[in-house]
Amino acid sequence: MGRDLARSSFTRRERQQYRGKVHRCLSALSTMLRDGAFAGDSEATTGLEVELNLVDQRLDPAMRNVAVLDGVDSPELQSELGRWNVELNMPPRPLPGEHGRYLEHHLLDMLAEVEKQAETVGARVMTIGILPTITEEHLVAERMSPSTRYTALNEQILNARGEPVRLDIEGVELDGDPAERLQMDFDSIAPEAACTSLQLHLQVPPDAFAAHWNAAQCVAGVQLAVGANSPFLLGRRLWAETRVPLFLQATDVRSVELRNQGVRPRVWFGERWINSIFELFEENVRYFPGLLPVGGDQDPQTELAAGRVPALDELRLHNGTIWRWNRPIYDVADGVPHLRVENRVLPAGPSVVDMVANAMFFYGLLRVLTDRDQPPLWSQLPFAAAEENFKAAAREGMHATLYWPEEGWVSPDELVLRRLLPMAAEGLAQWGVADAVSRRYLEVIEQRCRARCTGAGWQQRTVDALERRGMDRPDAIRGMLERYLDGMGNNAPVHTWPLPKSVRAR
């Protein structure tokens, strides 16, 4: 969620002063990077956040996050944009040994606690990229969480845009079924609340950050292809990972004319490989005006001169309003500054074991791709190809065709089974992950690829089968979600979830 604000409107002078403070923060960051002021790499430290949907007995969004938050009363649980959203923030933990299994158990325990409280207010918990029972009536400002931060974001994005939020997403033709299309205007950023994601963090030392960010960009398309879980929005079957265009459009401050000029969006893949984390923060400051120009009392240069660690509040707040799919993070823990890669590519769900498997696959790949001898992968993969892989995977999921050095054009399942799974296993071994833990989670990825069944594919096949039995789309979606809750509740990998009879192969 980020920290809340005291107010939602700002003066021109405040915006000017905020820009100056952001530049002072950027200069302080440069000094800290030069002087080696950051935590080292003695142990791999990871973090995980997952956004949850609350649903009522009809599996519609349940506007009860405040009651759930009050009942659980845990610092690990926070509100999110929609009144039907909450977010779980797992505490940082090391990666080696059995910690992957501990993460799975902790997630299951926290979900059970949230579910128990949700039941007291007539709700259930669902981990899914986009809740397909959301309707236009839910995506209004009145259904946003009561937070000044969200009110301010809504006002600032709409003011900068100068017109309603336009969703225009053309779906993908699938097995001869024509592509469906969504075109709709909204008077708030509430459609962004339909996106619920899994966010993976990895703390890295400054001199290794660029390699880790570049590697994360390289594998983003593969992550989406094998982890897609968001095929339906407002009754339409659109992309395998509809979160990608939805998030872009729901937070877009650009008018049509600015888009035509090539002005960059705030939901951004990026445009080049980097050599330092500083380049990402510098791009943020150069290209994007402040959305929430809230300045603090601390001067970062004064803090550095006094031998103290600056919070860089303005720079961090600014960074929090630029939604890169792999975001740079500056943070301070126990008085020591550190840097993290925040991977924001994946949707929530389907099950906890699926999410932990996605995380372990990602961490294993990053270790190998950043440790192997030269030349690095990103020297062989054009940045434009990595971005196109990301877009193709979002559109078509497991049915996309991706480009990979030494492989050429290849299907995601073939690429993972032949090249990337052995690399991920090697990387997890280098991290010191226990063999049994590595096998447990990478086998989930392997079998998902062999079955060519992601969460998105399972949702599409199930709805398709129920429609061919005579159900209309809304009833077929509810029937699918009832089955989805069973698989999720059993913590079974999605490739093992049963399908209705007479399902066409996808």
Side-chain angles (χ1 to χ4, degrees):
M1 170 186 173
R3 65 185 176 94
D4 205 358
L5 307 179
R7 54 198 172 87
S8 61
S9 60
F10 311 97
T11 67
R12 296 183 182 91
R13 179 59 58 88
E14 285 172 327
R15 293 181 182 280
Q16 183 183 47
Q17 292 172 342
Y18 178 78
R19 179 184 289 111
K21 286 295 293 287
V22 169
H23 278 276
R24 289 184 68 79
C25 288
L26 188 64
S27 177
L29 176 64
S30 176
T31 299
M32 295 172 72
L33 290 168
R34 183 194 65 208
D35 294 347
F38 289 89
D41 58 349
S42 58
E43 187 173 44
T45 303
T46 66
L48 181 149
E49 304 169 39
V50 58
E51 295 162 345
L52 313 175
N53 289 282
L54 301 174
V55 297
D56 61 20
Q57 298 307 309
R58 282 182 43 82
L59 305 180
D60 292 328
M63 308 294 157
R64 294 162 197 163
N65 66 352
V66 173
V68 171
L69 289 165
D70 289 344
V72 174
D73 191 26
S74 168
E76 295 180 8
L77 193 66
Q78 299 180 356
S79 72
E80 262 297 329
L81 180 60
R83 290 178 183 262
W84 65 94
N85 301 139
V86 293
E87 180 181 79
L88 274 177
N89 292 274
M90 297 294 98
R93 66 174 64 242
L95 188 57
E98 298 281 340
H99 282 282
R101 195 180 294 272
Y102 300 154
L103 173 61
E104 180 183 353
H105 293 165
H106 190 174
L107 262 176
L108 287 169
D109 289 344
M110 281 302 302
L111 281 173
E113 187 175 352
V114 177
E115 179 76 24
K116 182 179 179 181
Q117 177 59 25
E119 288 176 354
T120 68
V121 295
R124 298 193 65 181
V125 176
M126 182 172 287
T127 54
I128 190 169
I130 294 176
L131 181 63
T133 50
I134 289 172
T135 67
E136 186 177 358
E137 288 71 27
H138 299 118
L139 302 181
V140 295
E142 293 75 20
R143 302 294 180 94
M144 290 166 52
S145 292
S147 161
T148 306
R149 178 186 176 91
Y150 298 139
T151 300
L153 267 177
N154 186 60
E155 292 179 2
Q156 300 307 312
I157 287 176
L158 290 177
N159 288 341
R161 184 180 176 86
E163 56 190 62
V165 171
R166 162 60 62 96
L167 297 185
D168 187 353
I169 306 172
E170 185 169 2
V172 178
E173 182 179 331
L174 194 62
D175 289 345
D177 293 337
E180 301 177 21
R181 187 169 186 174
L182 173 66
Q183 288 181 305
M184 201 171 292
D185 288 340
F186 295 86
D187 290 322
S188 75
I189 63 168
E192 192 272 321
C195 303
T196 48
S197 65
L198 172 69
Q199 297 160 24
L200 307 176
H201 292 251
L202 181 64
Q203 181 177 321
V204 295
D207 60 356
F209 184 92
H212 283 80
W213 188 86
N214 290 342
Q217 294 285 95
C218 287
V219 303
V222 179
Q223 283 184 280
L224 266 190
V226 302
N229 194 33
S230 312
F232 293 101
L233 174 63
L234 295 171
R236 281 78 159 180
R237 175 181 57 77
L238 298 170
W239 292 17
E241 194 48 45
T242 307
R243 279 174 53 255
V244 170
L246 173 58
F247 196 19
L248 168 64
Q249 295 179 20
T251 57
D252 200 348
V253 301
R254 304 170 302 167
S255 65
V256 173
E257 293 79 9
L258 290 178
R259 292 200 299 273
N260 291 339
Q261 292 176 38
V263 173
R264 296 160 180 82
R266 297 185 86 99
V267 173
W268 198 28
F269 188 80
E271 57 192 19
R272 62 188 177 91
W273 307 120
I274 65 167
N275 296 302
S276 165
I277 188 174
F278 183 81
E279 296 173 26
L280 298 179
F281 282 109
E282 195 273 335
E283 281 182 345
N284 288 354
V285 174
R286 179 158 28 111
Y287 295 144
F288 301 104
L291 273 184
L292 303 175
V294 178
D297 295 330
Q298 186 185 93
D299 181 81
Q301 304 290 353
T302 301
E303 294 300 297
L304 281 180
R308 296 187 292 265
V309 175
L312 305 187
D313 284 334
E314 292 82 4
L315 188 68
R316 293 162 68 189
L317 180 59
H318 185 53
N319 188 49
T321 62
I322 300 156
W323 296 280
R324 294 177 183 267
W325 293 106
N326 284 293
R327 178 191 272 170
I329 299 292
Y330 168 91
D331 207 349
V332 181
D334 299 324
V336 180
H338 67 265
L339 305 175
R340 303 196 303 270
V341 176
E342 181 189 27
N343 178 259
R344 305 167 53 83
V345 167
L346 291 164
S351 65
V352 167
V353 70
D354 280 312
M355 292 189 286
V356 177
N358 289 339
M360 300 301 280
F361 181 58
F362 173 72
Y363 293 136
L365 283 178
L366 252 61
R367 177 60 184 259
V368 166
L369 291 175
T370 56
D371 274 7
R372 283 193 164 178
D373 294 335
Q374 299 293 330
L377 177 65
W378 47 95
S379 72
Q380 306 167 63
L381 180 68
F383 193 92
E387 183 176 16
E388 184 52 39
N389 282 349
F390 180 76
K391 293 177 180 177
R395 286 193 302 268
E396 302 178 53
M398 197 72 84
H399 298 272
T401 300
L402 309 181
Y403 178 78
W404 199 259
E406 300 181 6
E407 294 287 339
W409 296 100
V410 62
S411 65
D413 54 309
E414 183 179 357
L415 177 61
V416 170
L417 293 171
R418 191 165 66 205
R419 290 283 301 273
L420 301 188
L421 269 178
M423 291 170 59
E426 178 186 343
L428 292 179
Q430 291 176 7
W431 282 125
V433 174
D435 289 345
V437 173
S438 178
R439 285 195 301 271
R440 170 172 172 76
Y441 298 114
L442 293 187
E443 184 178 358
V444 171
I445 303 297
E446 177 184 358
Q447 295 306 317
R448 193 190 299 164
C449 288
R450 293 194 185 282
R452 304 197 81 203
C453 182
T454 61
W458 183 90
Q459 290 186 53
Q460 291 168 332
R461 296 177 196 180
T462 302
V463 168
D464 177 72
L466 296 176
E467 285 182 327
R468 287 188 290 110
R469 289 183 181 181
M471 290 186 181
D472 61 15
R473 177 63 61 82
D475 285 342
I477 283 176
R478 292 181 197 282
M480 178 272 290
L481 287 180
E482 290 171 354
R483 293 165 170 82
Y484 188 105
L485 277 171
D486 288 339
M488 189 195 93
N490 293 330
N491 193 31
V494 71
H495 69 268
T496 68
W497 293 7
L499 292 162
K501 294 181 180 178
S502 304
V503 174
R504 290 182 293 180
R506 289 293 195 191

